Amino acid sequence: MSDTPVDADEVRHVAELARVNLDEEEVEAFAAQFADILDYFDALDEVPEVEAESDLVNVMRTDEVRDGLSQEEALQNAPESEDGFFKGPRVS
Amino acid sequence: MGANIFITEETVDGADDGPLAGTTVAVKDNLSTEGVRTTCGSAMLEDYVPPYDATVVERLKDAGATIVGKTNMDEFGMGGTTETSAFGPTENPVDAERVPGGSSGGSAAAVAAGEADVALGTDTGGSVRNPAAFCGVVGIKPTYGLVSRYGLVAYANSLEQVGPIGSTVEDAAALLDVISGADERDATTRFDESMGTHPAADSEYAAAADGDVEGLTVGVVADLLDGADDRVVETFEQSVSDLESRGAEVVEVSLESVEHAVQAYYVIAMSEASSNLARYDGVRYGLSTGKDGNWNETYAETREEGLGEEVKRRILLGTYALSAGYHDKYYKKAQDARAWIKQDFDAAFEEADVLATPTMPVLPPKLGESLSDPLQLYLMDANTVPVNLANLPAISVPAGEADGLPVGLQLIGPKFGEETMIRAASAVEN
């Protein structure tokens, strides 16, 4: 068994971190499934330490002004906008 | 049409002339199309209309292709059967009671049903090869960096590539010729700064489909045959011995690390997904529900309503795997497994030019049959996910039938070894 048992409270906590509301039925179902899935992921403990090649390089493009979306295009999918701005819910 | 292949049917004409003039193309609904809604199979993006084209779509148009519609898919690419779409499941044209595979099931079905000559899908853990195998068509997952990801609505950035689907190896390869190449809008395609070139610059993928496998060494990955359906293994082995009779040398190779590939894949993919899908807050685009309450409450409510069960499951598991206390246990170990898998493949390519496995360990399940147990569904990806973790190219080509259902053979090439892989695959279909 996994040494990280998942109970309903833990599912609720993660859902809060991820900003996803869940109904009670989903919480119960996910708690049971997560126990199985995380138990399966525990097999990763057997993976040896591997020296990863460090052939990664940062690719930076030159910092120059280019054409982008117009303000109108950027706002065309917004459910609500006002005076050329996105309109969202209050933050506190 | 009842098979639910397209989410949106709309004709977009390309340039008057070009290598794809007169060719119809179906495009997966997670590739942005200017002025044509792009839903990703999600209620969250039901009314989203991108103001720009993905680079691959732009290249289709420039090549003279006619786009005939946006194809159904598992929501945000999360699924292996095209049943998690908010717009309902797609039927497999080979057998309407069965799934077409996923997540690019609509794209593979469009080609199999003759609704389009070729199609574009995306492959994060097998999502082009899986439906190609289940629908009896050809699907290519290119080397990471060969094809631009600009305008692809991201699920797991480090794993996914846009890939072509066709009814023959040559058709799929010709589409790869059009979409591959460097893109200044996607830095992941600019892999070789010092050389200043991109591998697609001198490659001719369609021309490589000449069926000549004389002297080619094919390595059969023994580790991936054990868990597969007997009927699949039998068809696969028949197809491999056909290759042998055409002059290929067949050897057995072992990849010890693939035993951990599915776990590593899901931890990495879910982690990247949880981060990517944080963008759906219903403010700048997409569904918006809550009018009352503060930002956090409104955000969580919108996401509850707009996202399907599999997507929520992956966001939550990804958030869990990255959360304090579990990062080292899951995410870091998954990255170790990924490095191990790359090394294993490098060693295997010392012994063989291409590697062969069955694309899917099972025959296409019936609609509704496999959804109830997510873990079992994840295990179906055992043969395809190692390729994405190692950023390698692979192709699924029809190997024959078992009980009247298509079986796919997967050929894996070395990094940017698409031409060799395509050559070998073209011998399988002949």
Side-chain angles (χ1 to χ4, degrees):
Chain A
M1 269 307 284
S2 171
D3 55 7
T4 54
V6 186
D7 57 24
D9 280 346
E10 193 146 15
V11 171
R12 276 188 211 101
H13 174 64
V14 175
E16 201 181 309
L17 291 177
R19 308 266 187 275
V20 182
N21 280 353
L22 299 177
D23 60 37
E24 271 316 293
E25 240 171 74
E26 280 178 309
V27 170
E28 292 302 325
F30 281 167
Q33 288 167 357
F34 288 5
D36 283 349
I37 294 168
L38 293 169
D39 198 28
Y40 174 67
F41 288 172
D42 278 351
L44 287 170
D45 284 343
E46 300 157 11
V47 172
E49 285 240 5
V50 177
E51 216 167 299
E53 326 151 44
S54 54
D55 62 350
L56 299 176
V57 286
N58 274 324
V59 181
M60 312 281 272
R61 74 177 181 202
T62 45
D63 185 19
E64 52 193 31
V65 178
R66 299 171 183 217
D67 286 340
L69 295 179
S70 67
Q71 193 171 18
E72 197 185 327
E73 285 170 330
L75 287 168
Q76 77 181 27
N77 280 283
E80 283 192 83
S81 64
E82 196 174 301
D83 300 334
F85 295 97
F86 293 111
K87 199 175 166 187
R90 61 188 168 84
V91 289
S92 62
Chain B
M1 241 197 34
N4 209 15
I5 288 172
F6 294 102
I7 292 174
T8 305
E9 285 191 79
E10 185 152 333
T11 305
V12 182
D13 289 320
D16 288 339
D17 205 10
L20 295 182
T23 305
T24 55
V25 186
V27 175
K28 189 175 181 180
D29 210 30
N30 59 352
L31 293 164
S32 302
T33 40
E34 185 182 349
V36 180
R37 75 174 179 146
T38 298
T39 71
C40 290
S42 181
M44 187 64 93
L45 292 176
E46 189 164 1
D47 300 314
Y48 173 69
V49 178
Y52 58 91
D53 276 328
T55 296
V56 289
V57 170
E58 208 173 82
R59 288 185 180 169
L60 287 182
K61 289 181 176 177
D62 289 348
T66 300
I67 295 168
V68 292
K70 304 296 295 293
T71 56
N72 202 6
M73 56 181 284
D74 281 303
E75 186 176 3
F76 289 109
M78 300 180 190
T81 59
T82 310
E83 290 172 289
T84 71
S85 167
F87 304 96
T90 296
E91 292 169 6
N92 189 327
V94 177
D95 177 345
E97 284 184 13
R98 293 181 188 268
V99 304
S103 65
S104 314
S107 291
V111 173
E115 297 286 324
D117 298 323
V118 286
L120 289 183
T122 60
D123 191 310
T124 309
S127 286
V128 162
R129 290 159 285 159
N130 166 344
F134 281 178
C135 293
V137 295
V138 176
I140 299 175
K141 184 265 165 194
T143 308
Y144 190 82
L146 191 77
V147 178
S148 170
R149 302 177 59 261
Y150 177 82
L152 156 63
V153 182
Y155 153 27
N157 308 45
S158 80
L159 299 160
E160 69 197 329
Q161 276 283 289
V162 180
I165 295 171
S167 41
T168 66
V169 172
E170 192 178 356
D171 283 358
L175 188 51
L176 186 61
D177 278 318
V178 167
I179 61 170
S180 57
D183 179 10
E184 62 172 12
R185 291 176 298 190
D186 175 7
T188 65
T189 62
R190 287 186 181 177
F191 77 103
D192 197 352
E193 284 272 285
S194 58
M195 302 285 288
T197 59
H198 185 276
D202 321 302
S203 301
E204 292 183 33
Y205 301 118
D210 59 10
D212 179 11
V213 288
E214 188 71 45
L216 191 87
T217 308
V218 178
V220 171
V221 185
D223 313 69
L224 294 175
L225 292 176
D226 293 346
D229 185 302
D230 290 343
R231 296 166 294 178
V232 170
V233 174
E234 199 179 308
T235 312
F236 167 77
E237 282 174 343
Q238 182 59 48
S239 192
V240 169
S241 48
D242 283 351
L243 275 178
E244 205 167 12
S245 67
R246 287 169 178 274
E249 187 193 344
V250 176
V251 297
E252 199 170 279
V253 297
S254 177
L255 296 169
E256 196 193 341
S257 61
V258 295
E259 198 187 317
H260 295 89
V262 175
Q263 298 95 310
Y265 167 76
Y266 276 101
V267 169
I268 292 169
M270 288 169 177
S271 297
E272 293 187 18
S274 73
S275 162
N276 271 323
L277 270 64
R279 73 183 75 184
Y280 299 109
D281 56 10
V283 173
R284 288 151 301 148
Y285 43 75
L287 179 77
S288 178
T289 51
K291 298 281 179 274
D292 304 318
N294 68 27
W295 187 83
N296 277 338
E297 290 160 4
T298 309
Y299 187 4
E301 196 181 308
T302 296
R303 287 155 67 80
E304 177 186 27
E305 193 156 318
L307 300 174
E309 184 184 330
E310 183 60 34
V311 172
K312 288 182 199 168
R313 183 155 40 235
R314 294 195 193 190
I315 290 176
L316 262 55
L317 282 164
T319 304
Y320 184 86
L322 291 175
S323 64
Y326 297 112
H327 176 274
D328 284 4
K329 180 174 168 57
Y330 296 112
Y331 188 73
K332 189 176 169 301
K333 282 313 247 182
Q335 294 293 6
D336 279 343
R338 187 172 190 173
W340 186 25
I341 288 162
K342 276 186 182 163
Q343 283 182 5
D344 247 9
F345 271 115
D346 285 346
F349 283 117
E350 303 274 309
E351 295 168 51
D353 299 311
V354 293
L355 307 178
T357 77
T359 308
M360 298 302 292
V362 293
L363 293 169
K366 291 201 166 162
L367 286 156
E369 198 176 67
S370 54
L371 272 188
S372 57
D373 185 347
L375 190 52
Q376 285 310 311
L377 208 60
Y378 300 164
L379 290 171
M380 252 170 45
D381 297 341
N383 298 2
T384 52
V385 297
V387 170
N388 300 72
L389 288 166
N391 295 341
L392 297 173
I395 186 168
S396 177
V397 56
E401 289 188 348
D403 294 348
L405 297 167
V407 173
L409 177 134
Q410 173 178 242
L411 289 164
I412 306 166
K415 195 173 175 185
F416 297 112
E418 271 82 358
E419 285 175 321
T420 309
M421 178 186 96
I422 285 165
R423 180 165 288 119
S426 65
V428 174
E429 70 182 348
N430 283 324

